[in-house]
Amino acid sequence: MGNIITGEKEFFKGLGQVKFEGLESDNPLAFRWYDENRVVAGKTMKEHFKFAGAYWHSFVGNGSDPFGGATHIFPWDAKADPIERAKDKMDAAFEFFTKMNLPYYCFHDVDVVDYGDNVAENEHRLQTLVEYAKEKQAKSGVKLLWGTANLFSHKRYMNGASTNPDFHVLTHGAAQVKCALDATIALGGENYTFWGGREGYMTLLNTNMKREQEHFAKFLHAAKDYARKNGFKGSFFIEPKPAEPTKHQYDFDAATVFGFLQKYDLLNDFSLNLEVNHATLAGHTFQHELQVAVDNGLLGSIDANRGDMQNGWDTDQFPNDINELTESMLIILEGGGIKYGGVNFDAKIRRNSTDPADLFYAHVGGMDIFARALITADNILQKSDYKKVREERYASFDSGKGKEFEEGKLSLEDLRNYAAENGEPATISGKQEYLENLINRYI
Ligand code: XLS
Ligand code: NI
Ligand code: NI
C-alpha cells in the first residue's frame, strides 16, 4: 500500500485509506475479498488485476444526462484558469487513487486538461499537466495503465476522426493522438487505447465504407510507427463497441476487430481492450468476447463495468454480477491472464449518487467482486470437474477417426463412410444445468 497523496487541499475529507479487512468486517469502506498481496493461481491479486481508476468517469463526468445538467458538483472544478483547474483535478484524482489503493489510472487527453481549438496551445496544456503528473506518480507509486485521445466529443469529429470524409479533420485527430502518445510515453504509460467512438457511419447513403476503413488502418499504422520510433514498448488496444454514439461502428466486436487487424497487418502491435457493457450491446456476453480474444491471443486489457438488462445503451454501471465475473475469470485464468493491461473501471456512479463516499463504495464493490470471482474461478479450476466435463464432450476427437479428422487426414467420402458404417449417434447431454449449479456451488 502506498502513501495517501493530497494536494494543498484535501478533497475527500473524512474518507481515509481503504484497507483489506476480510469477511468478518462490516465496514462498507473496507475490502472483504480484495487482499492485494494474496496469491491466487501463482500471482498476487494486485498483479492479476492491475486495477485502474478512470479519470473521465470519476473526475470529469458530472452526472448530467440528456434530460438534465450536472448533479455532481466537484470542488476541484472551481478555478477559472484551465491549468489551475486541471491541477486541482489531478490533486483530487491522486488523492482518490491512493486512498482507494488503486495501483493504476487511465485518461483521455481532454480529461486531464480542457482543450481549446489551437493545436499548439493544447499541446502546451497537456505537457504542463504531464510534468505535474510525473511528480504525483513518483510520490504515490501510482502508474499509468493507458492513455488515449478523445476523438469523439469535439464537434469537428461528428463524422469521425480517422474515418472522417474530410482529410482536414483527420489531421486534427492525428495531432491529438501524437500529443496523447507523447504524454503516455513521458509518463511511462504501459499501453495506449483507441476507442473509435465515431469511427463508423450514420447512413451508407453518404458513406464510402471501404475507403473509411482503409483510412482507419493507415492512421493506426502512422500512430504505431510514431510511438515505436519514440520508444513506446507497450501494446496498442482497440476497444470494440458496436454502436453509440455512431449508429454502426467499425470496431463492432472482438471478432470484427480481429479480422480488421489481420487484414491490415496490425496483429503484432495491437490487442483488445474489452468492455463488459460493449459486449452486451453487441449481442454477446462478456464471456464470449473474452473467449474470442483469448483464442486469438488478443486479450490485452479490460474495461470493467456492467450494463442494464432493460436498457439498450452503455450505462457503465459498476460491476456487481458475481456469476458474470466468475465465468469471465474462468476464461481469463484458463487463457493465461490479461496479457498487457489490467482492469480499468470504465464505470460511473449514478446521477443521484451524490456523496463523495459513493465513489469509494463503487470501487470497493468493483474490486471486491473481481477478487471474489478470481478466488471462485480458481477453486472451480482446482477442485471441480468443470474442465473435465468440457474435455469429455470432445473425447470422440481424441483417438481413432475423430483424431484423424483433426489431423486433416480424412476426406468427405471417409466421413460419409464412417456415418454409414456406424449408424445413428448416441444422444449425449450438454449438462448445462449441471455446470451452472457447479458454478453457484463454488460462489
Ligand atoms: C466509451 C468507451 C470509452 C473508452 C475510452 O464507451 O468505453 O470510455 O474506454 O475512450
Ligand atoms: Ni471503455
Ligand atoms: Ni464504454
Side-chain angles (χ1 to χ4, degrees), residues 36-80:
E36 62 176 359
N37 298 316
R38 175 164 171 187
V39 175
V40 181
K43 280 195 287 188
T44 64
M45 286 191 169
K46 189 175 176 181
E47 292 165 329
H48 270 287
F49 294 123
K50 294 162 86 175
F51 283 126
Y55 227 89
W56 52 103
H57 281 311
S58 295
F59 311 104
V60 184
N62 55 19
S64 61
D65 69 13
F67 300 91
T71 56
H72 304 161
I73 311 301
F74 296 136
W76 52 84
D77 226 5
K79 292 184 183 153

mmCIF file of all heavy atoms in Angstrom, residues 36-80:
data_model
loop_
_atom_site.group_PDB
_atom_site.id
_atom_site.type_symbol
_atom_site.label_atom_id
_atom_site.label_comp_id
_atom_site.label_asym_id
_atom_site.label_seq_id
_atom_site.Cartn_x
_atom_site.Cartn_y
_atom_site.Cartn_z
ATOM 1 N N GLU A 36 -4.554 -7.341 -1.711
ATOM 2 C CA GLU A 36 -3.618 -7.184 -2.840
ATOM 3 C C GLU A 36 -2.440 -8.149 -2.797
ATOM 4 O O GLU A 36 -1.892 -8.506 -3.831
ATOM 5 C CB GLU A 36 -3.118 -5.737 -2.943
ATOM 6 C CG GLU A 36 -2.340 -5.278 -1.727
ATOM 7 C CD GLU A 36 -1.761 -3.866 -1.882
ATOM 8 O OE1 GLU A 36 -1.948 -3.250 -2.946
ATOM 9 O OE2 GLU A 36 -1.127 -3.409 -0.925
ATOM 10 N N ASN A 37 -2.071 -8.592 -1.611
ATOM 11 C CA ASN A 37 -0.904 -9.481 -1.511
ATOM 12 C C ASN A 37 -1.254 -10.965 -1.537
ATOM 13 O O ASN A 37 -0.360 -11.809 -1.535
ATOM 14 C CB ASN A 37 -0.130 -9.182 -0.228
ATOM 15 C CG ASN A 37 0.399 -7.762 -0.242
ATOM 16 O OD1 ASN A 37 0.928 -7.316 -1.253
ATOM 17 N ND2 ASN A 37 0.202 -7.049 0.862
ATOM 18 N N ARG A 38 -2.546 -11.275 -1.551
ATOM 19 C CA ARG A 38 -2.919 -12.696 -1.552
ATOM 20 C C ARG A 38 -2.577 -13.331 -2.901
ATOM 21 O O ARG A 38 -2.902 -12.805 -3.957
ATOM 22 C CB ARG A 38 -4.427 -12.834 -1.288
ATOM 23 C CG ARG A 38 -4.899 -14.259 -1.385
ATOM 24 C CD ARG A 38 -6.261 -14.442 -0.758
ATOM 25 N NE ARG A 38 -6.781 -15.764 -1.043
ATOM 26 C CZ ARG A 38 -8.004 -16.163 -0.736
ATOM 27 N NH1 ARG A 38 -8.832 -15.321 -0.142
ATOM 28 N NH2 ARG A 38 -8.417 -17.377 -1.029
ATOM 29 N N VAL A 39 -1.926 -14.471 -2.839
ATOM 30 C CA VAL A 39 -1.538 -15.161 -4.065
ATOM 31 C C VAL A 39 -2.640 -16.135 -4.471
ATOM 32 O O VAL A 39 -3.075 -16.965 -3.677
ATOM 33 C CB VAL A 39 -0.195 -15.905 -3.875
ATOM 34 C CG1 VAL A 39 0.145 -16.734 -5.115
ATOM 35 C CG2 VAL A 39 0.925 -14.908 -3.571
ATOM 36 N N VAL A 40 -3.103 -15.995 -5.688
ATOM 37 C CA VAL A 40 -4.098 -16.911 -6.263
ATOM 38 C C VAL A 40 -3.560 -17.344 -7.624
ATOM 39 O O VAL A 40 -3.117 -16.493 -8.409
ATOM 40 C CB VAL A 40 -5.465 -16.203 -6.457
ATOM 41 C CG1 VAL A 40 -6.501 -17.170 -7.030
ATOM 42 C CG2 VAL A 40 -5.966 -15.600 -5.154
ATOM 43 N N ALA A 41 -3.590 -18.622 -7.887
ATOM 44 C CA ALA A 41 -3.109 -19.142 -9.176
ATOM 45 C C ALA A 41 -1.742 -18.540 -9.555
ATOM 46 O O ALA A 41 -1.530 -18.091 -10.682
ATOM 47 C CB ALA A 41 -4.137 -18.883 -10.274
ATOM 48 N N GLY A 42 -0.854 -18.515 -8.580
ATOM 49 C CA GLY A 42 0.542 -18.153 -8.873
ATOM 50 C C GLY A 42 0.878 -16.669 -8.925
ATOM 51 O O GLY A 42 2.037 -16.311 -9.144
ATOM 52 N N LYS A 43 -0.111 -15.790 -8.738
ATOM 53 C CA LYS A 43 0.184 -14.348 -8.785
ATOM 54 C C LYS A 43 -0.592 -13.648 -7.671
ATOM 55 O O LYS A 43 -1.646 -14.114 -7.250
ATOM 56 C CB LYS A 43 -0.303 -13.753 -10.119
ATOM 57 C CG LYS A 43 0.609 -13.988 -11.289
ATOM 58 C CD LYS A 43 0.259 -13.075 -12.469
ATOM 59 C CE LYS A 43 -1.024 -13.482 -13.175
ATOM 60 N NZ LYS A 43 -1.287 -12.745 -14.415
ATOM 61 N N THR A 44 -0.079 -12.497 -7.236
ATOM 62 C CA THR A 44 -0.859 -11.737 -6.257
ATOM 63 C C THR A 44 -2.074 -11.125 -6.952
ATOM 64 O O THR A 44 -2.088 -10.943 -8.171
ATOM 65 C CB THR A 44 -0.040 -10.577 -5.650
ATOM 66 O OG1 THR A 44 0.283 -9.657 -6.696
ATOM 67 C CG2 THR A 44 1.230 -11.083 -4.985
ATOM 68 N N MET A 45 -3.060 -10.800 -6.141
ATOM 69 C CA MET A 45 -4.250 -10.151 -6.696
ATOM 70 C C MET A 45 -3.883 -8.829 -7.378
ATOM 71 O O MET A 45 -4.448 -8.466 -8.395
ATOM 72 C CB MET A 45 -5.264 -9.900 -5.595
ATOM 73 C CG MET A 45 -5.962 -11.166 -5.148
ATOM 74 S SD MET A 45 -7.353 -10.729 -4.095
ATOM 75 C CE MET A 45 -8.167 -12.322 -4.016
ATOM 76 N N LYS A 46 -2.940 -8.137 -6.784
ATOM 77 C CA LYS A 46 -2.515 -6.863 -7.370
ATOM 78 C C LYS A 46 -2.000 -7.077 -8.799
ATOM 79 O O LYS A 46 -2.306 -6.309 -9.707
ATOM 80 C CB LYS A 46 -1.417 -6.256 -6.485
ATOM 81 C CG LYS A 46 -1.037 -4.852 -6.855
ATOM 82 C CD LYS A 46 -0.029 -4.282 -5.858
ATOM 83 C CE LYS A 46 0.405 -2.905 -6.297
ATOM 84 N NZ LYS A 46 1.384 -2.314 -5.398
ATOM 85 N N GLU A 47 -1.235 -8.158 -8.975
ATOM 86 C CA GLU A 47 -0.679 -8.448 -10.305
ATOM 87 C C GLU A 47 -1.750 -8.948 -11.275
ATOM 88 O O GLU A 47 -1.729 -8.620 -12.457
ATOM 89 C CB GLU A 47 0.425 -9.515 -10.200
ATOM 90 C CG GLU A 47 1.667 -9.039 -9.473
ATOM 91 C CD GLU A 47 2.587 -10.204 -9.056
ATOM 92 O OE1 GLU A 47 2.094 -11.327 -8.783
ATOM 93 O OE2 GLU A 47 3.797 -9.964 -8.997
ATOM 94 N N HIS A 48 -2.665 -9.766 -10.758
ATOM 95 C CA HIS A 48 -3.734 -10.281 -11.630
ATOM 96 C C HIS A 48 -4.519 -9.139 -12.270
ATOM 97 O O HIS A 48 -4.812 -9.167 -13.457
ATOM 98 C CB HIS A 48 -4.740 -11.104 -10.821
ATOM 99 C CG HIS A 48 -4.405 -12.551 -10.734
ATOM 100 N ND1 HIS A 48 -4.538 -13.414 -11.794
ATOM 101 C CD2 HIS A 48 -3.945 -13.307 -9.697
ATOM 102 C CE1 HIS A 48 -4.185 -14.642 -11.421
ATOM 103 N NE2 HIS A 48 -3.816 -14.599 -10.153
ATOM 104 N N PHE A 49 -4.875 -8.161 -11.444
ATOM 105 C CA PHE A 49 -5.884 -7.190 -11.898
ATOM 106 C C PHE A 49 -5.296 -5.878 -12.409
ATOM 107 O O PHE A 49 -5.851 -5.279 -13.316
ATOM 108 C CB PHE A 49 -6.858 -6.898 -10.760
ATOM 109 C CG PHE A 49 -7.692 -8.074 -10.363
ATOM 110 C CD1 PHE A 49 -7.689 -8.548 -9.052
ATOM 111 C CD2 PHE A 49 -8.482 -8.719 -11.299
ATOM 112 C CE1 PHE A 49 -8.465 -9.641 -8.693
ATOM 113 C CE2 PHE A 49 -9.260 -9.820 -10.949
ATOM 114 C CZ PHE A 49 -9.251 -10.270 -9.635
ATOM 115 N N LYS A 50 -4.231 -5.393 -11.779
ATOM 116 C CA LYS A 50 -3.747 -4.047 -12.100
ATOM 117 C C LYS A 50 -4.930 -3.078 -12.213
ATOM 118 O O LYS A 50 -5.187 -2.479 -13.271
ATOM 119 C CB LYS A 50 -2.915 -4.079 -13.384
ATOM 120 C CG LYS A 50 -1.610 -4.868 -13.225
ATOM 121 C CD LYS A 50 -1.012 -5.269 -14.544
ATOM 122 C CE LYS A 50 -0.130 -4.224 -15.138
ATOM 123 N NZ LYS A 50 0.535 -4.687 -16.387
ATOM 124 N N PHE A 51 -5.675 -2.957 -11.129
ATOM 125 C CA PHE A 51 -6.870 -2.103 -11.134
ATOM 126 C C PHE A 51 -6.517 -0.651 -11.434
ATOM 127 O O PHE A 51 -5.537 -0.109 -10.899
ATOM 128 C CB PHE A 51 -7.549 -2.142 -9.766
ATOM 129 C CG PHE A 51 -8.349 -3.395 -9.521
ATOM 130 C CD1 PHE A 51 -8.103 -4.175 -8.388
ATOM 131 C CD2 PHE A 51 -9.364 -3.776 -10.388
ATOM 132 C CE1 PHE A 51 -8.852 -5.321 -8.138
ATOM 133 C CE2 PHE A 51 -10.119 -4.923 -10.144
ATOM 134 C CZ PHE A 51 -9.858 -5.697 -9.031
ATOM 135 N N ALA A 52 -7.348 -0.038 -12.270
ATOM 136 C CA ALA A 52 -7.112 1.357 -12.636
ATOM 137 C C ALA A 52 -8.365 2.200 -12.441
ATOM 138 O O ALA A 52 -9.482 1.745 -12.700
ATOM 139 C CB ALA A 52 -6.663 1.436 -14.099
ATOM 140 N N GLY A 53 -8.151 3.437 -11.995
ATOM 141 C CA GLY A 53 -9.238 4.403 -11.910
ATOM 142 C C GLY A 53 -9.345 5.147 -13.237
ATOM 143 O O GLY A 53 -8.333 5.452 -13.863
ATOM 144 N N ALA A 54 -10.570 5.425 -13.672
ATOM 145 C CA ALA A 54 -10.783 6.137 -14.946
ATOM 146 C C ALA A 54 -11.042 7.615 -14.662
ATOM 147 O O ALA A 54 -12.005 7.966 -13.987
ATOM 148 C CB ALA A 54 -11.951 5.519 -15.712
ATOM 149 N N TYR A 55 -10.157 8.423 -15.195
ATOM 150 C CA TYR A 55 -10.225 9.868 -14.972
ATOM 151 C C TYR A 55 -11.576 10.445 -15.403
ATOM 152 O O TYR A 55 -12.158 11.286 -14.731
ATOM 153 C CB TYR A 55 -9.111 10.497 -15.820
ATOM 154 C CG TYR A 55 -8.253 11.517 -15.114
ATOM 155 C CD1 TYR A 55 -7.119 11.133 -14.427
ATOM 156 C CD2 TYR A 55 -8.570 12.869 -15.179
ATOM 157 C CE1 TYR A 55 -6.305 12.078 -13.821
ATOM 158 C CE2 TYR A 55 -7.770 13.816 -14.576
ATOM 159 C CZ TYR A 55 -6.640 13.426 -13.896
ATOM 160 O OH TYR A 55 -5.839 14.361 -13.299
ATOM 161 N N TRP A 56 -12.070 9.995 -16.565
ATOM 162 C CA TRP A 56 -13.254 10.649 -17.152
ATOM 163 C C TRP A 56 -14.501 10.441 -16.326
ATOM 164 O O TRP A 56 -15.235 11.401 -16.065
ATOM 165 C CB TRP A 56 -13.463 10.216 -18.609
ATOM 166 C CG TRP A 56 -13.505 8.742 -18.901
ATOM 167 C CD1 TRP A 56 -14.616 7.984 -19.142
ATOM 168 C CD2 TRP A 56 -12.394 7.849 -19.015
ATOM 169 N NE1 TRP A 56 -14.261 6.684 -19.394
ATOM 170 C CE2 TRP A 56 -12.905 6.570 -19.323
ATOM 171 C CE3 TRP A 56 -11.010 7.999 -18.888
ATOM 172 C CZ2 TRP A 56 -12.096 5.454 -19.503
ATOM 173 C CZ3 TRP A 56 -10.209 6.883 -19.062
ATOM 174 C CH2 TRP A 56 -10.743 5.634 -19.363
ATOM 175 N N HIS A 57 -14.755 9.217 -15.902
ATOM 176 C CA HIS A 57 -15.994 8.983 -15.165
ATOM 177 C C HIS A 57 -15.936 9.549 -13.752
ATOM 178 O O HIS A 57 -16.925 10.018 -13.224
ATOM 179 C CB HIS A 57 -16.294 7.488 -15.064
ATOM 180 C CG HIS A 57 -16.885 6.913 -16.304
ATOM 181 N ND1 HIS A 57 -17.949 7.494 -16.958
ATOM 182 C CD2 HIS A 57 -16.576 5.796 -17.011
ATOM 183 C CE1 HIS A 57 -18.263 6.758 -18.016
ATOM 184 N NE2 HIS A 57 -17.444 5.731 -18.073
ATOM 185 N N SER A 58 -14.753 9.458 -13.125
ATOM 186 C CA SER A 58 -14.691 9.783 -11.705
ATOM 187 C C SER A 58 -14.424 11.259 -11.412
ATOM 188 O O SER A 58 -14.853 11.764 -10.384
ATOM 189 C CB SER A 58 -13.619 8.934 -11.016
ATOM 190 O OG SER A 58 -13.993 7.572 -11.059
ATOM 191 N N PHE A 59 -13.730 11.944 -12.333
ATOM 192 C CA PHE A 59 -13.345 13.329 -12.007
ATOM 193 C C PHE A 59 -13.821 14.361 -13.025
ATOM 194 O O PHE A 59 -13.600 15.544 -12.856
ATOM 195 C CB PHE A 59 -11.820 13.412 -11.831
ATOM 196 C CG PHE A 59 -11.319 12.335 -10.922
ATOM 197 C CD1 PHE A 59 -10.671 11.219 -11.416
ATOM 198 C CD2 PHE A 59 -11.594 12.402 -9.557
ATOM 199 C CE1 PHE A 59 -10.277 10.190 -10.575
ATOM 200 C CE2 PHE A 59 -11.208 11.383 -8.707
ATOM 201 C CZ PHE A 59 -10.545 10.279 -9.218
ATOM 202 N N VAL A 60 -14.458 13.885 -14.088
ATOM 203 C CA VAL A 60 -14.948 14.793 -15.131
ATOM 204 C C VAL A 60 -16.465 14.659 -15.285
ATOM 205 O O VAL A 60 -17.201 15.645 -15.224
ATOM 206 C CB VAL A 60 -14.252 14.529 -16.489
ATOM 207 C CG1 VAL A 60 -14.707 15.536 -17.531
ATOM 208 C CG2 VAL A 60 -12.730 14.551 -16.336
ATOM 209 N N GLY A 61 -16.930 13.434 -15.509
ATOM 210 C CA GLY A 61 -18.371 13.178 -15.690
ATOM 211 C C GLY A 61 -19.121 13.683 -14.465
ATOM 212 O O GLY A 61 -18.782 13.336 -13.333
ATOM 213 N N ASN A 62 -20.102 14.530 -14.701
ATOM 214 C CA ASN A 62 -20.703 15.237 -13.564
ATOM 215 C C ASN A 62 -22.151 14.843 -13.291
ATOM 216 O O ASN A 62 -22.898 15.574 -12.661
ATOM 217 C CB ASN A 62 -20.604 16.750 -13.799
ATOM 218 C CG ASN A 62 -21.239 17.135 -15.126
ATOM 219 O OD1 ASN A 62 -22.033 16.375 -15.694
ATOM 220 N ND2 ASN A 62 -20.899 18.312 -15.624
ATOM 221 N N GLY A 63 -22.535 13.675 -13.793
ATOM 222 C CA GLY A 63 -23.893 13.193 -13.506
ATOM 223 C C GLY A 63 -24.943 13.696 -14.488
ATOM 224 O O GLY A 63 -26.110 13.311 -14.394
ATOM 225 N N SER A 64 -24.533 14.533 -15.449
ATOM 226 C CA SER A 64 -25.535 15.047 -16.386
ATOM 227 C C SER A 64 -26.007 13.936 -17.322
ATOM 228 O O SER A 64 -25.289 12.959 -17.559
ATOM 229 C CB SER A 64 -24.956 16.213 -17.199
ATOM 230 O OG SER A 64 -23.849 15.779 -17.940
ATOM 231 N N ASP A 65 -27.227 14.059 -17.809
ATOM 232 C CA ASP A 65 -27.751 13.111 -18.791
ATOM 233 C C ASP A 65 -28.538 13.919 -19.829
ATOM 234 O O ASP A 65 -28.620 15.149 -19.715
ATOM 235 C CB ASP A 65 -28.558 11.992 -18.096
ATOM 236 C CG ASP A 65 -29.864 12.451 -17.485
ATOM 237 O OD1 ASP A 65 -30.308 13.582 -17.790
ATOM 238 O OD2 ASP A 65 -30.442 11.692 -16.699
ATOM 239 N N PRO A 66 -29.088 13.279 -20.880
ATOM 240 C CA PRO A 66 -29.755 14.077 -21.925
ATOM 241 C C PRO A 66 -30.943 14.901 -21.403
ATOM 242 O O PRO A 66 -31.433 15.794 -22.090
ATOM 243 C CB PRO A 66 -30.229 13.025 -22.930
ATOM 244 C CG PRO A 66 -29.327 11.860 -22.720
ATOM 245 C CD PRO A 66 -29.003 11.858 -21.251
ATOM 246 N N PHE A 67 -31.362 14.618 -20.172
ATOM 247 C CA PHE A 67 -32.530 15.319 -19.643
ATOM 248 C C PHE A 67 -32.204 16.339 -18.562
ATOM 249 O O PHE A 67 -33.099 17.015 -18.065
ATOM 250 C CB PHE A 67 -33.541 14.296 -19.096
ATOM 251 C CG PHE A 67 -34.009 13.343 -20.145
ATOM 252 C CD1 PHE A 67 -33.351 12.143 -20.351
ATOM 253 C CD2 PHE A 67 -35.083 13.665 -20.959
ATOM 254 C CE1 PHE A 67 -33.762 11.267 -21.343
ATOM 255 C CE2 PHE A 67 -35.497 12.795 -21.950
ATOM 256 C CZ PHE A 67 -34.835 11.593 -22.150
ATOM 257 N N GLY A 68 -30.938 16.421 -18.186
ATOM 258 C CA GLY A 68 -30.614 17.368 -17.122
ATOM 259 C C GLY A 68 -29.127 17.554 -16.912
ATOM 260 O O GLY A 68 -28.329 16.690 -17.271
ATOM 261 N N GLY A 69 -28.789 18.670 -16.311
ATOM 262 C CA GLY A 69 -27.384 19.046 -16.117
ATOM 263 C C GLY A 69 -26.736 18.362 -14.928
ATOM 264 O O GLY A 69 -27.243 17.376 -14.386
ATOM 265 N N ALA A 70 -25.595 18.940 -14.532
ATOM 266 C CA ALA A 70 -24.746 18.326 -13.508
ATOM 267 C C ALA A 70 -25.470 18.140 -12.172
ATOM 268 O O ALA A 70 -26.228 19.008 -11.742
ATOM 269 C CB ALA A 70 -23.515 19.197 -13.303
ATOM 270 N N THR A 71 -25.216 17.004 -11.547
ATOM 271 C CA THR A 71 -25.639 16.800 -10.159
ATOM 272 C C THR A 71 -24.418 16.606 -9.255
ATOM 273 O O THR A 71 -24.533 16.701 -8.048
ATOM 274 C CB THR A 71 -26.542 15.554 -10.024
ATOM 275 O OG1 THR A 71 -25.834 14.425 -10.553
ATOM 276 C CG2 THR A 71 -27.851 15.743 -10.774
ATOM 277 N N HIS A 72 -23.282 16.273 -9.871
ATOM 278 C CA HIS A 72 -22.047 16.113 -9.095
ATOM 279 C C HIS A 72 -21.269 17.428 -9.224
ATOM 280 O O HIS A 72 -20.727 17.719 -10.289
ATOM 281 C CB HIS A 72 -21.201 14.955 -9.632
ATOM 282 C CG HIS A 72 -21.939 13.638 -9.673
ATOM 283 N ND1 HIS A 72 -21.533 12.569 -10.439
ATOM 284 C CD2 HIS A 72 -23.054 13.222 -9.041
ATOM 285 C CE1 HIS A 72 -22.364 11.558 -10.266
ATOM 286 N NE2 HIS A 72 -23.311 11.927 -9.432
ATOM 287 N N ILE A 73 -21.296 18.193 -8.173
ATOM 288 C CA ILE A 73 -20.633 19.498 -8.218
ATOM 289 C C ILE A 73 -19.255 19.323 -7.590
ATOM 290 O O ILE A 73 -19.134 19.165 -6.374
ATOM 291 C CB ILE A 73 -21.461 20.566 -7.456
ATOM 292 C CG1 ILE A 73 -22.936 20.507 -7.901
ATOM 293 C CG2 ILE A 73 -20.862 21.962 -7.644
ATOM 294 C CD1 ILE A 73 -23.186 20.736 -9.390
ATOM 295 N N PHE A 74 -18.223 19.339 -8.426
ATOM 296 C CA PHE A 74 -16.885 18.976 -7.952
ATOM 297 C C PHE A 74 -16.124 20.184 -7.401
ATOM 298 O O PHE A 74 -15.956 21.182 -8.109
ATOM 299 C CB PHE A 74 -16.065 18.373 -9.093
ATOM 300 C CG PHE A 74 -16.604 17.069 -9.638
ATOM 301 C CD1 PHE A 74 -16.673 16.850 -11.008
ATOM 302 C CD2 PHE A 74 -17.013 16.050 -8.787
ATOM 303 C CE1 PHE A 74 -17.146 15.652 -11.517
ATOM 304 C CE2 PHE A 74 -17.484 14.842 -9.284
ATOM 305 C CZ PHE A 74 -17.551 14.647 -10.650
ATOM 306 N N PRO A 75 -15.596 20.069 -6.202
ATOM 307 C CA PRO A 75 -14.821 21.188 -5.647
ATOM 308 C C PRO A 75 -13.523 21.442 -6.422
ATOM 309 O O PRO A 75 -12.960 22.530 -6.336
ATOM 310 C CB PRO A 75 -14.521 20.742 -4.209
ATOM 311 C CG PRO A 75 -14.758 19.272 -4.167
ATOM 312 C CD PRO A 75 -15.746 18.963 -5.242
ATOM 313 N N TRP A 76 -13.059 20.432 -7.201
ATOM 314 C CA TRP A 76 -11.821 20.623 -7.971
ATOM 315 C C TRP A 76 -12.088 21.314 -9.309
ATOM 316 O O TRP A 76 -11.185 21.482 -10.106
ATOM 317 C CB TRP A 76 -11.100 19.287 -8.193
ATOM 318 C CG TRP A 76 -11.959 18.200 -8.764
ATOM 319 C CD1 TRP A 76 -12.254 17.991 -10.084
ATOM 320 C CD2 TRP A 76 -12.621 17.164 -8.032
ATOM 321 N NE1 TRP A 76 -13.069 16.893 -10.215
ATOM 322 C CE2 TRP A 76 -13.302 16.350 -8.966
ATOM 323 C CE3 TRP A 76 -12.702 16.824 -6.664
ATOM 324 C CZ2 TRP A 76 -14.062 15.240 -8.589
ATOM 325 C CZ3 TRP A 76 -13.448 15.719 -6.300
ATOM 326 C CH2 TRP A 76 -14.126 14.949 -7.254
ATOM 327 N N ASP A 77 -13.327 21.697 -9.526
ATOM 328 C CA ASP A 77 -13.706 22.293 -10.802
ATOM 329 C C ASP A 77 -13.924 23.798 -10.679
ATOM 330 O O ASP A 77 -14.486 24.423 -11.576
ATOM 331 C CB ASP A 77 -15.022 21.639 -11.256
ATOM 332 C CG ASP A 77 -14.982 21.243 -12.708
ATOM 333 O OD1 ASP A 77 -13.909 21.384 -13.317
ATOM 334 O OD2 ASP A 77 -16.021 20.790 -13.216
ATOM 335 N N ALA A 78 -13.477 24.394 -9.566
ATOM 336 C CA ALA A 78 -13.909 25.755 -9.251
ATOM 337 C C ALA A 78 -13.089 26.855 -9.937
ATOM 338 O O ALA A 78 -13.633 27.881 -10.332
ATOM 339 C CB ALA A 78 -13.867 25.948 -7.740
ATOM 340 N N LYS A 79 -11.793 26.634 -10.129
ATOM 341 C CA LYS A 79 -10.942 27.738 -10.603
ATOM 342 C C LYS A 79 -11.184 28.070 -12.081
ATOM 343 O O LYS A 79 -11.492 27.180 -12.873
ATOM 344 C CB LYS A 79 -9.469 27.398 -10.377
ATOM 345 C CG LYS A 79 -9.134 27.359 -8.893
ATOM 346 C CD LYS A 79 -7.665 27.116 -8.641
ATOM 347 C CE LYS A 79 -7.425 27.013 -7.139
ATOM 348 N NZ LYS A 79 -6.250 26.201 -6.822
ATOM 349 N N ALA A 80 -11.003 29.348 -12.442
ATOM 350 C CA ALA A 80 -11.281 29.780 -13.823
ATOM 351 C C ALA A 80 -10.156 29.380 -14.777
ATOM 352 O O ALA A 80 -10.407 28.945 -15.898
ATOM 353 C CB ALA A 80 -11.482 31.289 -13.861
#
